[in-house]
Amino acid sequence: MTVATAFAGMRGAVPVVFRAGCPDCRGRFELAASALRLAIGASSRTTFYSFTCPDCGAAVRKPAGERIVELLTGGGVRTLRLHSTV
């Protein structure tokens, strides 16, 4: 069986996009999962996602609650787990 035969009839995956906004320029846009980074810390204060605003170039960092973490990880956003040194 060839690869073409094995995957015949399958539809291509639709890329996941996330809506975001920039607090500096107030721009609103959609970002691919590859444009976002998620950092998961030991508390809600150390769990956040970040991206660079495509309109003004500002580095944006926003808090990420449980639901946001779930959506971003499910959508393929690269994740960094921060470890406590205590």
Side-chain angles (χ1 to χ4, degrees):
M1 177 182 290
T2 67
V3 172
T5 304
F7 290 101
M10 290 186 70
R11 296 181 184 188
V14 176
V16 176
V17 293
F18 297 93
R19 291 185 183 153
C22 177
D24 289 354
C25 72
R26 305 262 188 237
R28 310 234 11 108
F29 37 81
E30 291 184 341
L31 296 170
S34 61
L36 295 155
R37 297 292 176 266
L38 174 63
I40 300 176
S43 71
S44 60
R45 289 176 52 197
T46 57
T47 300
F48 60 91
Y49 65 99
S50 61
F51 58 90
T52 300
C53 176
D55 292 344
C56 71
V60 179
R61 178 176 161 165
K62 295 187 174 188
E66 288 182 34
R67 181 70 178 137
I68 297 295
V69 168
E70 185 179 314
L71 290 170
L72 294 177
T73 55
V77 172
R78 223 182 320 183
T79 303
L80 171 67
R81 296 198 182 271
L82 306 175
H83 297 284
S84 174
T85 57
V86 179

